[in-house]
Amino acid sequence: MATRILGALDIGTQTTTLAAGEVVDGQLKVLRVVSVPTYGVKKGVIRNIGEVTQTIRKAALEMAKQGLDLYDVTTSFSAQGITTACRKGSKSFVSLAVMTEEDAEEAQEMAFSVESADSSNVSLQRFQQRFRVNDQSVESPVGMKGNSLEASVLEMLAPRTAVEALHTAITQAGMHTTETVFSGCADATTVLDAQTRSDGALVINFGAGTCDYLAIANRIVVAAGTLGIGGHHLTNDLAQAFQVNQDVAERMKIDCGAAQIQPDLANERYSLRSTFSAERTVSMHAIQTVTTERVNETLHLLRDILCKQGVYLSDLHGGVWLTGGTAALPNIVDQVSAVLECPCRIGVPLNLVSLPEEAQKAPYRYATVVGLLQYRMRTLASEIDKPSFFTRMRTFFRG
Amino acid sequence: MKADDLLFISVGGAAASVAQNIAQRTRRDASQPPMRVLILDTDDAVLQHVTHADGVSVTIFGTQRLSGRGTGGDHILGMSAFRDDAAGIMQQIGSPRLVIVLTCCGGGTSGACEPLLRLLRDRGIANIVFATEPFAFEGEARKRSASVILPTLCETANAVTTVPLASLLAGKEDELTAAQAFDYAADRLAAGICLLWTQLVYPGYIQFDVEHFRLFLERESVSTVAFTFADTIATGDQRAERVVASLLQSPRFQMRGVNCLMNAHQVIVGVLAGDDLRLCELDTLMTGLKAGLGKQAEVTLGTVNHEAFNGKLEVVLLAFTPSGVDLPIAGDALQSVRKRSGKSSRAKALSAVKDRFDDVERTIIDGVNYDTPTYLRRNIRLKR
C-alpha cells in the first residue's frame, strides 16, 4: 500500500514554508521542507491575494522539483484581529445521576453549537475546557454524580475576510486546504511533550508580522491569541531611528540587534555601507537600545494580556517556549525569562523520525509547519479511532 | 485673506451635514467670501441629500472599490478607498494655507483621514482636525472604531481637537430625543467652527488671521487638546461684565465634572464688536476671563471690527484642554502620543523613510499605537 504523504503550508509574513511528511511507525518523518519569501502579507493578513498565490505556486514548484507534488495541505493561520470567546453548554438532570461519556459529549456539542453573533468573524479553532459538575470544576465528568453538567469551550475567532483570502489564495495556487490551524496551536503541538503539557507551558511564536501565544495548563488550552507586533516592528523602529530603508534596517537587525544590550559591543560602531555615498557608522548601543526597548515592551504587553485572561505564568511550571524567526535574536531567551519571570527555552520540533538537513540549522523556524504535519497526523488517527458522522454514514451505506 | 487660504474638509456622512451647515452660515455675510468647503464621502446615498451651493464641492471617492455604497463601518476600506482617488482629491484641495478637517469618528469613512493628513503634511499645508467622539448610546462598535482612528489622526495632524458629541449637548440632555441630539450637536459644532472662521477672516484691531492660527497650531502643547467653546452676546451698560459672567458659567466648559477652562492650556478669546468698543471693556473682559482660567493657560486675543456688531459685544471663547483631563477613550497613552505628535510634526515631515505599516491596520491596544517605534513613544534619547 502506498504511503500517505501529508502536506503543510505556513504562510508567514516574511517566509512561506511548505513541508511534506509521512507517518512511520506512528511518528512523523518530515521528508522535505521548502521556504520562499512571502509577498503580499502584512501582520499575517493577506493584502494581495495574487502575490500570495504566486508565492505558494513558487513553493509548490520547488517542492515538485524535489519530486513531491502536494495537493492537500494543512495550513496555519495567524493574523491581527484574532479574538477568543468562551462558549458554554449544559445538561441538567431531574434527579442525581451518574454522568456518562454521552452526557459529556452532549454538553460539549451544545457548547460547540453556540455561534458568534458577529458575522465578520469565523470560528478558527475550539479548545475544550474543564467541565463543571454541580459547579465543581473537573477534568472529566464521567462516573461522577450530579444534577448539572456544564461544558466550556474556548473558541478562537478570526476575521472572516482574512481567512477567506487565505483559502482563496491556496485554491488559486492549485491546492486544497484540509484544515486551518492557529499557528500558535501548531507550534504547541510539536514543541511540547506530554509532561510539559501537564505541567503547564506558554508557547510564543515571535514571527515577523505577529506574535502568537498559546498557554496550556493541565493539558487544556487556557489562553491563546495574536499580537500584531513582530520582528518587522524591530526593523521598522531601526529604519525610523536611523533614517535608513527597510532592507538596510533588516540587515542591521540581523547583524547586531539584540534583546538585551550586549556590554562588549556597546562601544562599537556599525558601518552602513553604501555604494554611492560616504560610509556612515551607527552606535551599536543605539541599535540595541531600539531593539531591546521593542522586545521588552512586547513581552510586558503579552504578560499583561495573559494576566487579564487569568493566566499566571508562575503557575505554568513547564516554562515558556519560544519559536519563530525573532527567536534568533541574541539574548532573547534571557530577556523573556527576566520579563515573564519564568524559565524560557527555544522550542524545537519533538517526536520526529527525522527532520531534513536544511531545517536542522534553525529548527525553531520550522516549528509551525512541522506542528501542522503532526496536527494532521493526529486528526487522521482520531478519525480512524472515532470516525466522524460522515465517515460512519459512508461505512454504513457501503455495508 | 484670500478665499483660497482656508479650506474646510468634511470626511464621512455625519460630517457632511455639519459641513453643509457651515457653508450656509458662512454665506450669510456677503462682505466676506464664503468658506471653501469640500465634502468627501464614500456613500452615494448620503451625498444625494447635500445641497450644492457656491463654494461647496462634493466628492465621492473609492467608487471603483465600493460602488458608492459606503464602507460598512470598515475604516481600512475607507483608507484604501481614499488612496484609490488620492491624486484627484489633492488636486481639488489645491494649495490652501490652512485646512480644517472634520470627521465623526466611529464610521468607516473616517479611515480616509489618516492618508489625507499625511498628504497635507507632505505638502506643508497646516491642518487642524476636529474629530467627534460618538455618543455613548451609539454602541461599543463605534466607540471601538473611534479609539482605533483617533491615535492615528493624532500622529499625522498638526493638531487634533476631539469633540465628544455629548459635550455639545450641555444642559440640553434631558430635553432632546436621540434623533434631535445628532442635529443639535451638528448645529453646535458648526457654530463653533464658524466662530473660529469668523476670527480668522474678519479684520480687527488685534489681528488673529490664518497665519497666526498656523503658528498657534505649531506650538507644542496645542496638539494635546480637547476642544470646547462657548459664545455669548450682550448689549447696553456693563456688557463686558455680563459677558464674562455668562462665559465663565457656561455649562459647555463643564465636561464630565471637569472644568475645562481651569485646565485649558490654550485659549482663544474672540471679540466681535463695532466701532464703539472701548479699551476699558477689553480690559474688563481679559481680566475677568483670566480669573476663570488656570495659571498655565496661554491666552490669545483676536478682535473683529464690523459694523454689523455696532452696539453689541459678542465674545467667543475657544478652549483647548489637555486630553488627559477629559478624554475617555485613549487615556494617558493617547495623551503621550499627542504630546509627541504636536512638536514633531515638522520633524516628521523631514523623514524620508517610509513607514512599513502605512497601508495596514494599526496595532492599537488600549489607545496606544504600537506601530510607532517604542523609543519614540517612550522618549528615549539614543546615544548615536
Side-chain angles (χ1 to χ4, degrees):
Chain A
M1 196 180 91
T3 316
R4 185 172 187 167
I5 302 290
L6 309 177
L9 177 66
D10 174 31
I11 303 171
T13 302
Q14 175 105 342
T15 311
T16 292
T17 311
L18 184 63
E22 63 179 354
V23 183
V24 177
D25 298 331
Q27 279 204 319
L28 178 73
K29 182 181 180 186
V30 183
L31 300 169
R32 297 272 187 281
V33 176
V34 165
S35 293
V36 294
T38 305
Y39 296 98
V41 177
K42 279 193 176 178
K43 292 187 186 174
V45 179
I46 293 179
R47 307 288 301 166
N48 186 325
I49 291 179
E51 285 183 349
V52 176
T53 304
Q54 287 302 323
T55 302
I56 302 169
R57 278 193 188 135
K58 199 174 168 190
L61 194 69
E62 289 290 318
M63 188 61 89
K65 280 182 191 168
Q66 297 184 30
L68 284 168
D69 278 318
L70 293 176
Y71 174 68
D72 285 331
V73 285
T74 305
T75 184
S76 66
F77 182 85
S78 154
Q80 183 169 240
I82 287 180
T83 52
T84 53
C86 193
R87 313 278 184 219
K88 287 187 167 71
S90 59
K91 188 178 180 186
S92 300
F93 302 86
V94 180
S95 58
L96 209 63
V98 178
M99 312 279 167
T100 61
E101 206 164 316
E102 283 74 31
D103 294 329
E105 275 182 16
E106 212 173 301
Q108 255 184 1
E109 284 296 324
M110 288 172 93
F112 283 140
S113 65
V114 178
E115 282 192 5
S116 166
D118 186 358
S119 62
S120 62
N121 284 328
V122 63
S123 178
L124 181 64
Q125 257 188 297
R126 287 161 172 167
F127 302 107
Q128 181 197 310
Q129 304 290 288
R130 289 172 76 85
F131 290 89
R132 291 184 83 84
V133 176
N134 285 10
D135 276 341
Q136 284 217 330
S137 174
V138 295
E139 200 170 314
S140 168
V142 178
M144 293 191 176
K145 278 186 177 180
N147 295 96
S148 67
L149 171 65
E150 187 183 87
S152 305
V153 170
L154 184 74
E155 185 173 35
M156 295 200 78
L157 299 163
R160 185 181 291 275
T161 45
V163 176
E164 283 174 359
L166 172 72
H167 292 163
T168 307
I170 292 170
T171 309
Q172 284 182 0
M175 288 182 168
H176 172 250
T177 313
T178 50
E179 277 179 292
T180 307
V181 181
F182 171 54
S183 61
C185 178
D187 284 65
T189 303
T190 190
V191 163
L192 305 180
D193 59 19
Q195 183 59 47
T196 318
R197 285 171 169 273
S198 181
D199 291 344
L202 171 69
V203 179
I204 303 172
N205 181 334
F206 208 145
T210 60
C211 188
D212 307 320
Y213 61 92
L214 186 130
I216 294 182
N218 293 321
R219 296 187 292 278
I220 288 170
V221 175
V222 288
T226 295
L227 279 178
I229 303 171
H232 279 178
H233 281 80
L234 274 80
T235 309
N236 191 54
D237 288 5
L238 289 170
Q240 301 291 327
F242 303 107
Q243 293 291 296
V244 292
N245 66 36
Q246 298 286 338
D247 291 341
V248 174
E250 182 72 19
R251 176 58 38 208
M252 197 187 263
K253 179 182 80 177
I254 293 167
D255 288 348
C256 54
Q260 284 180 343
I261 290 175
Q262 297 167 299
D264 52 327
L265 295 176
N267 292 326
E268 292 185 18
R269 296 190 72 77
Y270 179 76
S271 171
L272 297 168
R273 288 175 202 88
S274 168
T275 317
F276 303 108
S277 59
E279 188 177 276
R280 181 184 155 201
T281 63
V282 175
S283 154
M284 292 274 231
H285 186 276
I287 293 172
Q288 294 191 346
T289 302
V290 172
T291 55
T292 302
E293 285 299 326
R294 174 60 82 172
V295 172
N296 206 17
E297 179 186 62
T298 308
L299 294 172
H300 275 98
L301 184 64
L302 187 58
R303 191 185 64 181
D304 294 346
I305 288 172
L306 286 167
C307 210
K308 276 184 197 166
Q309 294 181 11
V311 177
Y312 295 97
L313 293 160
S314 53
D315 298 341
L316 306 178
H317 304 297
V320 180
W321 299 80
L322 200 59
T323 63
T326 311
L329 203 66
N331 297 347
I332 195 162
V333 169
D334 295 339
Q335 188 62 11
V336 174
S337 300
V339 175
L340 303 183
E341 296 172 358
C342 203
C344 173
R345 275 159 284 185
I346 297 289
V348 294
L350 299 175
N351 303 321
L352 300 174
V353 173
S354 67
L355 195 63
E357 206 181 315
E358 57 268 33
Q360 284 175 11
K361 210 181 273 180
Y364 50 88
R365 290 182 190 272
Y366 299 90
T368 307
V369 81
V370 174
L372 287 172
L373 289 173
Q374 286 183 331
Y375 192 94
R376 183 64 188 154
M377 196 177 97
R378 283 184 196 176
T379 309
L380 291 172
S382 68
E383 274 182 13
I384 293 164
D385 290 347
K386 191 180 173 186
S388 68
F389 174 75
F390 291 107
T391 314
R392 276 180 283 168
M393 289 296 283
R394 210 165 40 229
T395 315
F396 174 78
F397 283 113
R398 279 180 186 165
Chain B
M1 192 195 82
K2 289 181 195 166
D4 288 346
D5 280 355
L6 187 63
L7 172 67
F8 178 85
I9 302 177
S10 73
V11 182
S17 63
V18 180
Q20 219 184 347
N21 191 324
I22 288 172
Q24 283 165 3
R25 283 169 182 270
T26 58
R27 271 203 306 274
R28 283 176 197 160
D29 184 359
S31 67
Q32 288 295 328
M35 193 183 327
R36 201 156 70 89
V37 173
L38 175 59
I39 296 174
L40 299 176
D41 199 6
T42 52
D43 192 343
D44 205 3
V46 172
L47 293 184
Q48 277 170 6
H49 299 293
V50 175
T51 323
H52 294 254
D54 183 32
V56 180
S57 313
V58 179
T59 299
I60 303 170
F61 61 94
T63 44
Q64 273 193 324
R65 190 182 288 263
L66 306 169
S67 311
R69 291 194 179 93
T71 59
D74 184 344
H75 63 273
I76 293 292
L77 270 182
M79 191 193 284
S80 310
F82 179 85
R83 288 209 172 99
D84 292 345
D85 296 334
I89 293 170
M90 290 313 288
Q91 207 169 1
Q92 273 188 293
I93 289 172
S95 309
R97 298 288 294 157
L98 176 71
V99 170
I100 299 173
V101 179
L102 171 70
T103 188
C104 297
C105 292
T109 307
S110 50
C113 282
E114 191 198 352
L116 167 68
L117 292 166
R118 275 184 198 280
L119 289 173
L120 292 176
R121 190 181 71 187
D122 292 347
R123 288 191 178 191
I125 300 171
N127 54 73
I128 180 169
V129 180
F130 288 87
T132 68
E133 292 172 14
F135 286 114
F137 62 75
E138 289 184 72
E140 278 302 308
R142 284 184 71 84
K143 194 175 167 187
R144 210 167 36 241
S145 175
S147 71
V148 170
I149 290 165
L150 272 172
T152 64
L153 300 184
C154 295
E155 286 190 356
T156 40
N158 282 127
V160 178
T161 57
T162 53
V163 187
L165 286 176
S167 74
L168 297 166
L169 304 183
K172 296 270 183 188
E173 293 91 338
D174 299 337
E175 299 169 27
L176 300 169
T177 62
Q180 286 170 331
F182 282 106
D183 293 341
Y184 184 80
D187 185 63
R188 286 295 82 210
L189 186 56
I193 293 171
C194 279
L195 290 170
L196 179 63
W197 173 81
T198 309
Q199 285 296 309
L200 296 175
V201 299
Y202 281 85
Y205 300 118
I206 300 165
Q207 193 79 358
F208 186 74
D209 58 10
V210 170
E211 293 309 313
H212 283 81
F213 194 56
R214 274 172 64 96
L215 284 175
F216 177 81
L217 293 181
E218 286 172 359
R219 281 178 213 154
E220 184 166 14
S221 56
V222 176
S223 280
T224 69
V225 292
F227 172 64
T228 44
F229 67 92
D231 64 306
T232 189
I233 194 160
T235 53
D237 292 339
Q238 294 192 314
R239 56 185 186 173
E241 286 83 351
R242 279 184 281 128
V243 160
V244 169
S246 168
L247 284 174
L248 294 183
Q249 287 164 16
S250 171
R252 295 263 190 79
F253 294 123
Q254 301 293 326
M255 282 169 66
R256 302 179 194 101
V258 176
N259 185 336
C260 297
L261 279 183
M262 284 306 287
N263 291 295
H265 276 207
Q266 298 282 350
V267 177
I268 299 175
V269 181
V271 180
L272 293 83
D275 290 334
D276 54 342
L277 178 68
R278 284 172 292 153
L279 194 61
C280 66
E281 285 180 318
L282 269 181
D283 187 47
T284 308
L285 261 177
M286 294 310 286
T287 313
L289 289 176
K290 276 181 180 170
L293 301 173
K295 283 180 184 170
Q296 74 290 344
E298 192 177 316
V299 183
T300 308
L301 175 67
T303 61
V304 168
N305 175 33
H306 196 271
E307 59 184 20
F309 295 103
N310 275 343
K312 287 187 282 188
L313 177 63
E314 184 169 356
V315 179
V316 182
L317 207 57
L318 307 165
F320 297 86
T321 313
S323 57
V325 174
D326 58 358
L327 287 181
I329 289 181
D332 296 341
L334 181 58
Q335 188 183 359
S336 67
V337 172
R338 288 177 177 188
K339 272 186 175 159
R340 196 182 53 70
S341 70
K343 173 72 175 80
S344 61
S345 58
R346 271 174 294 177
K348 275 193 289 180
L350 297 172
S351 170
V353 178
K354 190 178 182 299
D355 187 341
R356 188 188 274 265
F357 309 112
D358 260 0
D359 56 346
V360 69
E361 184 166 1
R362 297 279 172 187
T363 300
I364 293 175
I365 302 166
D366 295 333
V368 181
N369 182 357
Y370 283 93
D371 289 345
T372 306
T374 311
Y375 78 94
L376 276 179
R377 270 184 284 114
R378 295 187 170 179
N379 285 323
I380 293 166
R381 190 178 288 271
L382 301 173
K383 294 176 188 170
R384 290 165 197 275

